[in-house]
Amino acid sequence: MDRRNEAAESREGLLRSYDKGERTPMRMSLENAYRSDSESDIDATDFLDRDPLNHQSQPAVQAYGPSIELARLRRSFARRSKCFFAILTILIIFWTVVAGGGFFLYKVAPVDGMSPPWYPTPLGGTSLKWQDSYKKAQALVEKMTLPEKVNITTGTGWQMGLAVGNTGPAIHVGFPGLALQDGPLGLRFADNATAFPAGITVGATWNKELMYFRGKAHGMEARLKGINVLLGPCVGPLGRMPAGGRNWEGFGADPVLQGIAGALTIQGIQEEGIIATIKHFVGNEQEHFRQSWEWGLPNAISSNIDDRTLHEMYGWPFQDAVKAGVASVMCSYQMLNNSYSCGNSKLLNGILKDELGFQGFVQSDWLAQRSGVASALAGLDMSMPGDGLWWGKGQSLWGPELSKAVLNGSLPVSRLNDMVTRVVASWYQLGQDDKSKFDGEGPNFSSWTNDKMGVINPGSPDDRDQKVVNKFINVQGSGDEAHSIIARKVATEGIVLVKNEGILPLSKDGWPTSENHEINMRVGIFGEDSGAGRGPNVCPDRGCNQGTLGSGWGSGAVEFPYLITPAEALLDAFNKDRVYVTNFPSNDPPFKTTPVILKQQDVCIVFVNADSGEGYMAADGIRGDRNDLYIQKDGEGLIVKVALGCGDGQGSTIVVIHSVGPVIMEGWIDIPGVKAVLMANLPGQESGNAIADILLGVVNPSGKLPYTIGKSLEDYGPGAKIQYYPNAAIPQQNFSEGLYIDYRHFDKEGIEPRFEFGFGLSYTTFDYSNLVVSPVLPKSSLPAARTPGIDPPQYDDKIPDASEALLPKGFRKLKKFVYPYITSTSIKKGPYPYPEGYEIKQTPSEAGGDEGGNPDLWNNYATVSVDIKNTGSVTGKEVVQLYLGFDGVKGEAKEIDFPRSVLRNFEKTELESGEKQVVEFNLTRRDLSYWDIVRQNWVMPTEGSITIKVGSSSRDLKLTGWY
């Protein structure tokens, strides 16, 4: 089976469209006005006009005005049919209407959300923990030619290589091309690999050990499949909008939960020698308008986030990732404060590389790069997949253009050297020079075909050289080391029991032995989500909701090696001699024509779901982001029918929900027949086994909600609503709610949720006592002074001779493949208009100093201990959650606003019946601080007390102490 048709609809925004008989992305329907078919027609001196909006401030838009957009349209009109002309006319009218002035809006800079310039890019190699890797990298980079350096920083193009992302090698120095592969829950497009539970399920476990071991198994599979860079984990989106299409790839709607889970996942992945990629940096909270042209608009949405919110919320988990030593950061599609994230110098240079001390390399999301030299100057180190502004054209913004930029002086050689060194140092840091673990031959599977034989570069019509591309190596482990074991544990502990009126756990033997029943217990299983449907892999990238839901859709999804369905597992788990089980895997069972199928049941188990995914494809009328927070496919109607009719109104109904996020339950949860409700999230391949273990009491439920379940979408506040329609030609999204998302918003507004963040029931009970807060270090307002770090590598930054980059004689080029070579040594030289603010000397942030920021931020300033006792009759696990409250903190002439409670740590502990344990926490300076926008540093309140609250959810805080 050829995966190229599937891939043509995949990876960050591809849709079907046909142009002159070729399959092309729909968003490429307007030809690239910035590039011709000949690379020689574009000189790197044009490095700022690849995309006018890539400047650090919006006056660039005013300078270009509507002329570029109209020119683009005129050229498109000249090439297109009358039919296409009509379509474009409609689009123009659409833009004009929604923008309240259409193209005239391009002449006006948005009032809010400006991103200041921050240049030049801080050099990598300042952290002692990376010293040896940077020394090795420097020795290698010093020997590289200009084309080799460009090869390492530029992707070879879409479908130009076996992985979804591939870089060229530096052959003469022995550095291989790197293979980059999705994704956050398994290896996309791979055979014989595990489909792990999704991130949201991992977050629902609140189990640090499982977070680490899942990451380690994931990293091992990537290594055994020949991958260098894994495109995960995901901590952005954070979950600001509960209907966000990709929330399920992350770990929950709180920065601390995301940060801890992300850091432990990274630790596991990178212990296997795989470069982990934390993504998407930062503010990609919805799928609508996330990137240029995908929704008919020429520019992506701008997420306008204030400084404090960026640090305390959306940037927080990325800081944890950098502290954990993550070697790659992926910048996101959308703009941040009206500068594209992959060209935002304040974000990449100022925050990530200076303040957070990031030592690895920044890679673009696939086609998130919107400029050439400007993005390099802003801190981008690697362009993925290398194509430039349009999919599959082979017209890169880097590649030969980057070679020209260096040769003509528009890109300092020092910046290119730093880009290359960061990549090579990451390779050494993860031990990928160890030939016993990495043979340098690249992937042993193809992302583009399931056949054994195929071509390496299917994106090029010139590549007809058939080779073995799939070796079908099984990397799932076996026996006690099988990765299905960790997958099952995560899926099981990721199930959250939110309602139980004594019906659970069920017995596999049916009726309790103490009760006298003449016939066996009858259990009816209802809902399409209980069964296999047409199989988990019937739709590309899991882009349809049918059968039981194991994951969302998009580039974060994987091929399932198998999927244990709930019905299959329950049929196998019940004692067939004592329990009669029937299954109706449909959301529309024949209740009217055959009422006995409902009336004759003693227990009814209903399986329903809600799906979403990446915005490049639609399923069941949903384009990425969910349309609402309701159960889909009339699952709510099914629940009501079953709950009212089960056992002719005398039976008990159990509702199991597989979902990408919270769902509204108000239409059915209080029906008397609904005795239990479980949020089973997205469980991966072991779905049925996990739910059977919980329902039958083989495992005591211990999952906790990683988000709040409200009673309506309105309960989450105006900032939680997806922006389904553009409010400008450049859609603007102001994060005006600041720190108040999810449970923080519910607390502030005094809104009673249906089930709060951190909530989850057990089959046992726990008692909390003896909270002790012990200061370790005295309070002080600011962290210790920044330390300078070690000296980074230094190079001879002389511009090389142009002949070094010439296309070698007799070299056979593949069409659409991105090469570093130029075709002429006639290079036009400067002067060049560097970005505004480029000459300003930046003062290093006092919040910085090493990986993760100022080392003092990570020192422990207080310890907290609490006694937990299992007061029930069965063994169980409890998630002990620690929240902080800041009251009456004074800032510059005014009181600082704080949420009522913010999560700062958690521990999960297992206790036998009657057992008591002491659970301990450390609180760091960062935990006890807030971001001061005036002092531009983390500030610890020194007057008064910081309230410390410990409990079993954000609303069930049982004990209080002070520091």
Side-chain angles (χ1 to χ4, degrees), residues 130 215-216 219 265-277 321 324-328 429-431:
W130 285 68
K216 190 171 179 65
T265 302
I266 290 163
Q267 182 183 344
I269 291 170
Q270 295 199 160
E271 281 187 7
E272 288 296 321
I274 296 299
I275 295 171
T277 303
V326 72
S328 176
Q429 184 77 354
L430 273 300

Side-chain angles (χ1 to χ4, degrees), residues 625-917:
D625 306 305
R626 286 194 278 171
N627 298 332
D628 51 48
L629 295 185
Y630 291 99
I631 294 168
Q632 294 163 8
K633 308 186 80 169
D634 196 29
E636 183 165 318
L638 175 66
I639 294 171
V640 172
K641 292 175 185 176
V642 173
L644 294 176
C646 183
D648 205 14
Q650 303 302 309
S652 298
T653 296
I654 300 165
V655 179
V656 180
I657 304 170
H658 290 118
S659 178
V660 292
V663 297
I664 302 301
M665 304 178 178
E666 298 312 296
W668 52 267
I669 193 168
D670 289 327
I671 296 175
V674 176
K675 301 299 185 183
V677 179
L678 302 97
M679 293 295 295
N681 296 297
L682 299 174
Q685 67 187 38
E686 291 287 325
S687 174
N689 288 332
I691 196 63
D693 284 347
I694 294 294
L695 292 177
L696 298 182
V698 177
V699 177
N700 194 338
S702 62
K704 302 282 187 174
L705 289 175
Y707 43 70
T708 297
I709 297 179
K711 296 180 180 180
S712 70
L713 176 58
E714 284 68 29
D715 283 356
Y716 293 86
K721 295 182 179 179
I722 299 293
Q723 189 170 313
Y724 294 106
Y725 302 100
N727 57 4
I730 308 163
Q732 300 291 305
Q733 189 169 70
N734 297 321
F735 288 45
S736 54
E737 74 286 344
L739 308 178
Y740 294 96
I741 72 167
D742 201 77
Y743 70 93
R744 300 163 179 237
H745 167 79
F746 280 78
D747 289 349
K748 179 182 180 181
E749 300 299 329
I751 299 171
E752 188 68 25
R754 171 54 66 174
F755 299 113
E756 72 269 20
F757 174 83
F759 174 78
L761 299 174
S762 171
Y763 296 152
T764 189
T765 54
F766 301 93
D767 178 70
Y768 287 63
S769 64
N770 194 29
L771 177 67
V772 178
V773 179
S774 304
V776 175
L777 294 172
K779 291 180 181 178
S780 59
S781 180
L782 294 171
R786 174 174 175 154
T787 55
I790 62 176
D791 292 332
Q794 299 294 326
Y795 295 95
D796 176 4
D797 290 331
K798 179 182 176 182
I799 296 176
D801 191 278
S803 61
E804 187 176 291
L806 272 178
L807 181 70
K809 291 183 179 180
F811 186 87
R812 175 178 170 263
K813 293 176 66 176
L814 292 177
K815 188 178 181 182
K816 298 184 179 182
F817 195 99
V818 177
Y819 296 98
Y821 303 116
I822 60 176
T823 56
S824 171
T825 57
S826 178
I827 302 294
K828 179 182 177 183
K829 295 190 176 181
Y832 301 100
Y834 279 81
E836 181 182 349
Y838 188 80
E839 301 301 329
I840 297 175
K841 183 175 176 58
Q842 299 289 342
T843 302
S845 171
E846 280 299 310
D850 202 353
E851 285 184 292
N854 191 314
D856 191 20
L857 294 174
W858 301 94
N859 288 328
N860 292 328
Y861 274 70
T863 61
V864 179
S865 66
V866 63
D867 293 347
I868 308 296
K869 183 178 180 179
N870 184 343
T871 55
S873 59
V874 295
T875 298
K877 293 181 179 181
E878 172 69 334
V879 179
V880 185
Q881 302 165 42
L882 186 153
Y883 295 78
L884 296 187
F886 298 81
D887 298 315
V889 177
K890 299 292 184 180
E892 297 289 326
K894 65 176 182 179
E895 187 170 313
I896 304 297
D897 183 38
F898 288 99
R900 188 174 79 185
S901 300
V902 292
L903 181 70
R904 279 297 181 261
N905 211 330
F906 58 88
E907 292 292 342
K908 192 169 195 176
T909 185
E910 184 174 26
L911 299 99
E912 296 179 359
S913 176
E915 182 184 1
K916 179 189 286 188
Q917 289 184 10

Side-chain angles (χ1 to χ4, degrees), residues 276-458:
T277 303
I278 197 72
K279 64 180 187 179
H280 305 87
F281 193 57
V282 64
N284 187 178
E285 293 294 315
Q286 69 169 54
E287 291 302 283
H288 282 70
F289 318 119
R290 66 176 182 151
Q291 62 176 312
S292 303
W293 295 115
E294 189 174 57
W295 299 84
L297 294 171
N299 288 290
I301 196 169
S302 177
S303 297
N304 302 324
I305 308 176
D306 68 85
D307 190 31
R308 185 181 173 196
T309 300
L310 182 64
H311 281 82
E312 293 188 32
M313 296 292 290
Y314 301 94
W316 182 288
F318 289 93
Q319 186 170 9
D320 282 320
V322 175
K323 177 63 177 176
V326 72
S328 176
V329 171
M330 180 188 289
C331 50
S332 54
Y333 278 121
Q334 91 302 326
M335 298 183 195
L336 178 74
N337 298 340
N338 284 288
S339 176
Y340 275 102
S341 298
C342 291
N344 188 314
S345 66
K346 173 63 177 177
L347 179 66
L348 302 184
N349 290 339
I351 294 178
L352 181 61
K353 292 183 176 180
D354 174 58
E355 183 186 314
L356 300 187
F358 176 57
Q359 301 295 303
F361 62 92
V362 178
Q363 58 167 288
S364 69
D365 206 335
W366 269 231
L367 261 66
Q369 180 192 22
R370 306 308 297 170
S371 67
V373 172
S375 59
L377 295 174
L380 185 66
D381 301 307
M382 181 184 287
S383 170
M384 277 291 137
D387 288 301
L389 296 176
W390 306 100
W391 289 88
K393 294 290 187 180
Q395 298 174 337
S396 183
L397 292 168
W398 283 1
E401 301 304 318
L402 193 60
S403 298
K404 292 178 187 177
V406 170
L407 293 171
N408 68 22
S410 60
L411 180 70
V413 177
S414 59
R415 175 76 268 261
L416 177 64
N417 284 338
D418 179 57
M419 292 157 61
V420 179
T421 306
R422 284 175 174 272
V423 176
V424 178
S426 299
W427 184 75
Y428 278 119
Q429 184 77 354
L430 273 300
Q432 293 191 6
D433 58 323
D434 183 349
K435 290 183 169 51
S436 67
K437 294 183 178 180
F438 296 87
D439 57 19
E441 294 182 4
N444 51 47
F445 71 99
S446 172
S447 298
W448 319 119
T449 180
N450 289 329
D451 298 332
K452 179 179 180 180
M453 304 298 294
V455 298
I456 302 296
N457 307 293

